Protein backbone atom coordinates (compact mmCIF):
# COMPACT_ATOMS: atom_id res chain seq x y z
CA UNK A 1 0.00 0.00 0.00
CA UNK A 2 3.01 2.31 0.35
CA UNK A 3 3.13 2.30 -3.45
CA UNK A 4 -0.18 4.16 -3.54
CA UNK A 5 1.09 6.92 -1.27
CA UNK A 6 4.13 7.41 -3.49
CA UNK A 7 2.12 7.43 -6.70
CA UNK A 8 -0.37 9.95 -5.41
CA UNK A 9 2.28 12.58 -4.85
CA UNK A 10 4.80 11.79 -7.58
CA UNK A 11 2.95 11.16 -10.85
CA UNK A 12 3.55 13.57 -13.79
CA UNK A 13 0.14 15.27 -13.48
CA UNK A 14 1.77 17.38 -10.73
CA UNK A 15 2.90 19.76 -13.48
CA UNK A 16 -0.69 20.43 -14.57
CA UNK A 17 -1.60 22.16 -11.31
CA UNK A 18 -0.33 22.77 -7.83
CA UNK A 19 -0.20 19.08 -6.81
CA UNK A 20 -1.19 17.75 -3.40
CA UNK A 21 -0.84 20.59 -0.86
CA UNK A 22 1.14 20.42 2.36
CA UNK A 23 -0.43 18.74 5.36
CA UNK A 24 -1.03 22.12 7.00
CA UNK A 25 -3.58 22.91 4.26
CA UNK A 26 -5.60 19.72 4.76
CA UNK A 27 -9.30 19.99 5.44
CA UNK A 28 -10.38 19.80 9.06
CA UNK A 29 -11.70 16.38 10.18
CA UNK A 30 -15.14 17.89 10.78
CA UNK A 31 -15.33 19.62 7.38
CA UNK A 32 -18.85 19.53 5.94
CA UNK A 33 -17.59 19.35 2.37
CA UNK A 34 -17.55 16.00 0.58
CA UNK A 35 -15.66 14.90 -2.49
CA UNK A 36 -17.78 13.12 -5.06
CA UNK A 37 -16.12 9.91 -6.26
CA UNK A 38 -17.52 8.28 -9.38
CA UNK A 39 -17.04 4.49 -9.34
CA UNK A 40 -17.23 2.74 -12.71
CA UNK A 41 -18.40 -0.89 -12.99
CA UNK A 42 -15.58 -3.43 -12.72
CA UNK A 43 -14.13 -4.37 -16.09
CA UNK A 44 -13.30 -7.98 -16.95
CA UNK A 45 -10.33 -8.28 -19.28
CA UNK A 46 -10.58 -11.20 -21.69
CA UNK A 47 -12.95 -14.18 -21.74
CA UNK A 48 -14.20 -15.70 -18.48
CA UNK A 49 -15.98 -18.99 -17.66
CA UNK A 50 -19.75 -18.96 -18.09
CA UNK A 51 -20.16 -19.64 -14.35
CA UNK A 52 -18.44 -16.32 -13.56
CA UNK A 53 -20.75 -14.11 -15.61
CA UNK A 54 -22.09 -12.21 -12.56
CA UNK A 55 -18.76 -12.01 -10.74
CA UNK A 56 -18.14 -8.36 -11.67
CA UNK A 57 -21.57 -7.31 -10.34
CA UNK A 58 -21.05 -9.15 -7.06
CA UNK A 59 -17.62 -7.57 -6.66
CA UNK A 60 -19.03 -4.09 -7.38
CA UNK A 61 -21.41 -4.48 -4.41
CA UNK A 62 -18.50 -5.69 -2.27
CA UNK A 63 -16.27 -2.76 -3.32
CA UNK A 64 -18.97 -0.12 -2.80
CA UNK A 65 -19.70 -1.47 0.71
CA UNK A 66 -16.01 -1.20 1.66
CA UNK A 67 -15.73 2.35 0.26
CA UNK A 68 -18.88 3.47 2.06
CA UNK A 69 -17.53 2.22 5.41
CA UNK A 70 -14.10 3.82 5.09
CA UNK A 71 -14.56 7.11 3.24
CA UNK A 72 -16.65 10.23 3.66
CA UNK A 73 -17.12 10.60 -0.10
CA UNK A 74 -20.34 11.21 -1.93
CA UNK A 75 -20.17 7.93 -3.89
CA UNK A 76 -21.75 7.73 -7.33
CA UNK A 77 -21.85 4.26 -8.90
CA UNK A 78 -22.27 4.45 -12.68
CA UNK A 79 -24.41 1.37 -13.20
CA UNK A 80 -24.72 0.34 -16.84
CA UNK A 81 -21.71 2.28 -18.12
CA UNK A 82 -18.47 0.69 -19.25
CA UNK A 83 -15.28 1.88 -20.92
CA UNK A 84 -13.97 -1.64 -21.57
CA UNK A 85 -12.51 -2.03 -25.04
CA UNK A 86 -11.96 1.69 -25.63
CA UNK A 87 -8.59 3.03 -26.69
CA UNK A 88 -6.67 5.00 -24.07
CA UNK A 89 -7.60 8.30 -25.73
CA UNK A 90 -11.27 7.40 -26.01
CA UNK A 91 -11.25 6.16 -22.42
CA UNK A 92 -9.83 9.49 -21.17
CA UNK A 93 -12.49 11.39 -23.09
CA UNK A 94 -15.24 9.13 -21.73
CA UNK A 95 -14.26 9.41 -18.07
CA UNK A 96 -13.79 13.18 -18.44
CA UNK A 97 -17.33 13.48 -19.86
CA UNK A 98 -18.69 11.46 -16.95
CA UNK A 99 -16.92 13.73 -14.47
CA UNK A 100 -18.37 16.85 -16.08
CA UNK A 101 -21.88 15.44 -16.12
CA UNK A 102 -21.76 14.17 -12.53
CA UNK A 103 -19.91 17.19 -11.08
CA UNK A 104 -17.21 14.85 -9.79
CA UNK A 105 -13.49 15.49 -9.51
CA UNK A 106 -12.28 11.91 -9.02
CA UNK A 107 -13.12 8.61 -10.64
CA UNK A 108 -12.25 5.04 -9.62
CA UNK A 109 -11.92 2.52 -12.43
CA UNK A 110 -11.50 -1.11 -11.22
CA UNK A 111 -10.68 -4.01 -13.53
CA UNK A 112 -9.73 -7.67 -13.25
CA UNK A 113 -6.98 -9.15 -15.38
CA UNK A 114 -6.93 -12.84 -16.29
CA UNK A 115 -7.28 -14.98 -13.11
CA UNK A 116 -4.46 -17.12 -11.75
CA UNK A 117 -4.94 -20.50 -10.10
CA UNK A 118 -3.87 -20.76 -6.47
CA UNK A 119 -2.85 -24.38 -6.99
CA UNK A 120 0.90 -24.95 -7.00
CA UNK A 121 2.60 -26.77 -9.87
CA UNK A 122 5.57 -27.76 -7.72
CA UNK A 123 4.53 -31.38 -7.36
CA UNK A 124 4.92 -34.72 -9.13
CA UNK A 125 2.55 -35.57 -11.95
CA UNK A 126 0.82 -38.07 -9.63
CA UNK A 127 0.17 -35.39 -7.00
CA UNK A 128 -1.05 -32.98 -9.65
CA UNK A 129 -3.37 -35.66 -11.01
CA UNK A 130 -4.85 -36.31 -7.57
CA UNK A 131 -5.36 -32.60 -6.97
CA UNK A 132 -7.01 -32.27 -10.37
CA UNK A 133 -9.49 -35.02 -9.49
CA UNK A 134 -10.28 -33.40 -6.15
CA UNK A 135 -10.83 -30.05 -7.83
CA UNK A 136 -13.20 -31.66 -10.30
CA UNK A 137 -15.31 -32.91 -7.40
CA UNK A 138 -15.63 -29.46 -5.83
CA UNK A 139 -18.31 -26.95 -6.79
CA UNK A 140 -15.86 -24.06 -6.41
CA UNK A 141 -12.28 -23.30 -7.34
CA UNK A 142 -9.78 -21.16 -5.44
CA UNK A 143 -8.30 -18.47 -7.69
CA UNK A 144 -6.35 -15.24 -7.44
CA UNK A 145 -7.92 -12.33 -9.31
CA UNK A 146 -5.40 -9.58 -10.20
CA UNK A 147 -7.39 -6.41 -9.40
CA UNK A 148 -6.21 -3.09 -10.87
CA UNK A 149 -7.59 0.07 -9.22
CA UNK A 150 -7.05 3.28 -11.20
CA UNK A 151 -7.89 6.71 -9.76
CA UNK A 152 -8.39 9.59 -12.21
CA UNK A 153 -8.48 13.32 -11.53
CA UNK A 154 -11.30 14.35 -13.85
CA UNK A 155 -10.57 18.08 -13.65
CA UNK A 156 -7.12 17.42 -15.10
CA UNK A 157 -8.05 14.40 -17.20
CA UNK A 158 -5.08 12.46 -15.80
CA UNK A 159 -4.31 9.23 -13.98
CA UNK A 160 -3.51 9.95 -10.32
CA UNK A 161 -2.61 6.46 -9.11
CA UNK A 162 -2.73 2.80 -10.05
CA UNK A 163 -2.80 0.08 -7.42
CA UNK A 164 -2.60 -3.68 -8.03
CA UNK A 165 -4.19 -5.99 -5.44
CA UNK A 166 -4.35 -9.80 -5.79
CA UNK A 167 -7.85 -10.75 -4.65
CA UNK A 168 -8.26 -14.34 -3.49
CA UNK A 169 -11.71 -15.79 -4.10
CA UNK A 170 -13.66 -19.03 -4.30
CA UNK A 171 -15.35 -19.11 -7.68
CA UNK A 172 -18.12 -21.42 -8.94
CA UNK A 173 -16.95 -23.97 -11.49
CA UNK A 174 -20.30 -24.57 -13.16
CA UNK A 175 -23.21 -22.25 -13.85
CA UNK A 176 -25.89 -22.45 -11.21
CA UNK A 177 -23.62 -24.00 -8.57
CA UNK A 178 -22.60 -21.96 -5.56
CA UNK A 179 -21.78 -18.27 -5.44
CA UNK A 180 -18.79 -15.97 -5.18
CA UNK A 181 -16.79 -15.68 -1.95
CA UNK A 182 -13.99 -13.13 -1.65
CA UNK A 183 -11.29 -13.94 0.90
CA UNK A 184 -10.59 -11.94 4.08
CA UNK A 185 -7.39 -10.51 2.57
CA UNK A 186 -9.50 -8.82 -0.12
CA UNK A 187 -11.48 -7.06 2.60
CA UNK A 188 -8.29 -5.92 4.37
CA UNK A 189 -6.53 -4.75 1.19
CA UNK A 190 -9.54 -2.80 -0.10
CA UNK A 191 -10.08 -1.26 3.33
CA UNK A 192 -6.47 -0.05 3.41
CA UNK A 193 -6.76 1.27 -0.15
CA UNK A 194 -9.93 3.23 0.61
CA UNK A 195 -8.51 4.70 3.82
CA UNK A 196 -5.32 5.87 2.10
CA UNK A 197 -7.38 7.38 -0.72
CA UNK A 198 -9.66 9.16 1.77
CA UNK A 199 -6.65 10.55 3.63
CA UNK A 200 -5.06 11.90 0.46
CA UNK A 201 -8.23 13.50 -0.89
CA UNK A 202 -8.95 15.10 2.48
CA UNK A 203 -5.97 17.35 1.66
CA UNK A 204 -7.71 18.63 -1.46
CA UNK A 205 -10.32 21.38 -1.68
CA UNK A 206 -13.65 20.36 -3.17
CA UNK A 207 -13.56 22.03 -6.60
CA UNK A 208 -16.93 22.96 -8.05
CA UNK A 209 -17.51 24.19 -11.62
CA UNK A 210 -19.08 27.60 -12.10
CA UNK A 211 -22.19 27.34 -14.29
CA UNK A 212 -23.04 31.00 -14.81
CA UNK A 213 -21.48 34.33 -13.88
CA UNK A 214 -22.98 37.74 -14.53
CA UNK A 215 -22.09 40.85 -12.61
CA UNK A 216 -21.79 39.73 -9.02
CA UNK A 217 -24.29 36.87 -9.35
CA UNK A 218 -22.74 33.41 -9.73
CA UNK A 219 -24.27 29.94 -9.92
CA UNK A 220 -22.17 26.91 -9.00
CA UNK A 221 -22.84 23.25 -9.79
CA UNK A 222 -23.01 21.89 -6.24
CA UNK A 223 -25.29 22.32 -3.27
CA UNK A 224 -26.46 20.37 -0.27
CA UNK A 225 -25.28 17.17 -1.98
CA UNK A 226 -21.64 18.13 -1.32
CA UNK A 227 -22.22 19.88 2.00
CA UNK A 228 -22.42 23.48 0.76
CA UNK A 229 -24.22 25.80 3.20
CA UNK A 230 -25.56 29.35 3.02
CA UNK A 231 -22.95 31.82 4.26
CA UNK A 232 -19.97 29.73 3.20
CA UNK A 233 -17.14 31.71 1.58
CA UNK A 234 -15.38 29.96 -1.31
CA UNK A 235 -12.14 30.74 -3.14
CA UNK A 236 -12.06 31.19 -6.91
CA UNK A 237 -9.65 29.89 -9.58
CA UNK A 238 -9.54 30.83 -13.23
CA UNK A 239 -8.99 27.73 -15.38
CA UNK A 240 -7.32 27.30 -18.74
CA UNK A 241 -7.76 23.88 -20.34
CA UNK A 242 -5.30 22.63 -22.93
CA UNK A 243 -4.38 19.56 -24.96
CA UNK A 244 -0.73 18.77 -25.64
CA UNK A 245 0.62 15.66 -27.35
CA UNK A 246 -2.67 13.84 -27.03
CA UNK A 247 -2.81 14.51 -23.28
CA UNK A 248 -5.49 16.67 -21.67
CA UNK A 249 -4.77 18.90 -18.72
CA UNK A 250 -5.39 22.30 -17.27
CA UNK A 251 -3.64 25.14 -15.55
CA UNK A 252 -5.37 27.25 -12.92
CA UNK A 253 -4.67 30.61 -11.35
CA UNK A 254 -6.04 31.64 -7.98
CA UNK A 255 -7.46 35.16 -7.73
CA UNK A 256 -8.38 37.33 -4.76
CA UNK A 257 -12.13 37.29 -5.45
CA UNK A 258 -14.40 35.38 -3.06
CA UNK A 259 -17.80 33.74 -3.45
CA UNK A 260 -20.32 33.97 -0.61
CA UNK A 261 -23.11 31.39 -0.79
CA UNK A 262 -26.53 33.03 -0.76
CA UNK A 263 -28.94 30.18 -1.52
CA UNK A 264 -28.38 26.41 -1.41
CA UNK A 265 -30.38 23.98 -3.53
CA UNK A 266 -30.05 20.17 -3.65
CA UNK A 267 -27.45 20.12 -6.46
CA UNK A 268 -26.53 23.77 -7.13
CA UNK A 269 -26.06 27.03 -5.26
CA UNK A 270 -26.36 30.75 -5.88
CA UNK A 271 -23.52 32.97 -4.67
CA UNK A 272 -22.46 36.60 -4.53
CA UNK A 273 -19.08 37.49 -6.04
CA UNK A 274 -16.90 40.06 -4.29
CA UNK A 275 -15.91 41.62 -7.66
CA UNK A 276 -17.57 42.01 -11.04
CA UNK A 277 -17.44 38.79 -13.12
CA UNK A 278 -16.90 40.67 -16.40
CA UNK A 279 -13.91 42.53 -14.95
CA UNK A 280 -12.39 39.28 -13.69
CA UNK A 281 -13.25 37.48 -16.95
CA UNK A 282 -14.93 34.78 -14.85
CA UNK A 283 -16.46 32.16 -17.16
CA UNK A 284 -18.36 28.87 -16.94
CA UNK A 285 -15.86 26.10 -16.19
CA UNK A 286 -13.80 28.18 -13.77
CA UNK A 287 -13.73 26.71 -10.29
CA UNK A 288 -15.04 27.58 -6.87
CA UNK A 289 -12.94 25.91 -4.16
CA UNK A 290 -14.54 24.82 -0.88
CA UNK A 291 -11.70 24.33 1.60
Amino acid sequence: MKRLLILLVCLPWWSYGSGWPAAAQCAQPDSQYRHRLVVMPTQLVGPIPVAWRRMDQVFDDFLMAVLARNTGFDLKYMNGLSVAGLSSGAQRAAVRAVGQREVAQYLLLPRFDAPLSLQSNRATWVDRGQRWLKRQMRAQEAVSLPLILEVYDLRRGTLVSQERIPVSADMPKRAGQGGFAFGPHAQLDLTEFSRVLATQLACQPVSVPIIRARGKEVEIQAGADLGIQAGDVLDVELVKAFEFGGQYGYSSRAIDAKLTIVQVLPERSLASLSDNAEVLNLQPGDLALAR
Side-chain angles (χ1 to χ4, degrees):
M1 193 55 61
K2 291 180 180 178
R3 298 192 307 276
L4 176 66
L5 288 167
I6 295 172
L7 283 167
L8 283 171
V9 298
C10 295
L11 280 181
W13 70 265
W14 181 288
S15 60
Y16 290 143
S18 59
W20 299 107
Q25 295 176 295
C26 288
Q28 296 298 319
D30 59 349
S31 172
Q32 75 267 26
Y33 303 124
R34 297 185 297 276
H35 284 290
R36 174 167 293 161
L37 178 69
V38 171
V39 183
M40 297 291 283
T42 303
Q43 300 179 85
L44 301 176
V45 179
I48 61 170
V50 174
W52 297 7
R53 289 290 171 87
R54 290 189 62 255
M55 183 263 289
D56 53 338
Q57 301 170 32
V58 175
F59 182 79
D60 286 339
D61 293 339
F62 176 62
L63 174 62
M64 290 296 290
V66 173
L67 290 174
R69 283 195 300 270
N70 298 287
T71 67
F73 302 146
D74 180 51
L75 297 172
K76 183 81 172 183
Y77 176 65
M78 300 306 297
N79 187 27
L81 292 182
S82 175
V83 294
L86 297 180
S87 65
S88 58
Q91 180 173 304
R92 284 196 300 272
V95 297
R96 192 164 64 246
V98 168
Q100 293 171 347
R101 190 182 73 185
E102 300 300 329
V103 200
Q105 184 168 353
Y106 299 98
L107 177 141
L108 175 61
L109 181 61
R111 75 171 187 270
F112 280 120
D113 284 343
L116 305 172
S117 174
L118 292 182
Q119 303 295 331
S120 173
N121 288 326
R122 294 182 178 180
T124 65
W125 67 270
V126 175
D127 291 334
R128 292 200 296 270
Q130 291 175 344
R131 291 176 183 175
W132 181 84
L133 288 173
K134 290 180 180 178
R135 291 199 301 271
Q136 294 302 106
M137 298 295 292
R138 299 194 195 109
Q140 292 184 317
E141 179 180 4
V143 298
S144 176
L145 300 166
L147 173 66
I148 311 298
L149 294 164
E150 295 179 338
V151 182
Y152 288 86
D153 183 330
L154 298 172
R155 298 280 185 258
R156 296 170 171 85
T158 54
L159 178 67
V160 174
S161 78
Q162 184 181 78
E163 182 73 1
R164 185 182 181 92
I165 299 175
V167 175
S168 59
D170 291 327
M171 308 293 285
K173 296 176 61 177
R174 289 175 289 278
Q177 290 193 12
F180 306 94
F182 300 103
H185 289 294
Q187 177 87 32
L188 293 174
D189 287 341
L190 288 177
T191 295
E192 185 177 358
F193 168 82
S194 59
R195 287 177 177 171
V196 170
L197 184 62
T199 299
Q200 293 289 350
L201 296 194
C203 297
Q204 299 301 297
V206 173
S207 64
V208 181
I210 290 172
I211 303 174
R212 178 179 57 84
R214 182 177 181 180
K216 292 190 175 184
E217 296 180 354
V218 176
E219 182 179 353
I220 64 173
Q221 199 171 356
D225 54 339
L226 298 188
I228 304 296
Q229 297 181 8
D232 289 351
V233 178
L234 311 184
D235 296 327
V236 179
E237 282 193 358
L238 303 182
V239 177
K240 180 180 179 182
F242 61 89
E243 189 168 356
F244 179 77
Q247 297 288 331
Y248 176 87
Y250 84 94
S251 61
S252 60
R253 178 171 61 88
I255 59 178
D256 293 333
K258 301 289 183 182
L259 280 174
T260 302
I261 303 298
V262 176
Q263 182 181 5
V264 178
L265 301 172
E267 296 182 352
R268 63 189 182 93
S269 299
L270 302 179
S272 176
L273 185 63
S274 60
D275 297 290
N276 192 288
E278 285 76 15
V279 174
L280 297 173
N281 196 27
L282 191 65
Q283 300 177 5
D286 289 331
L287 299 177
L289 303 182
R291 299 186 185 276

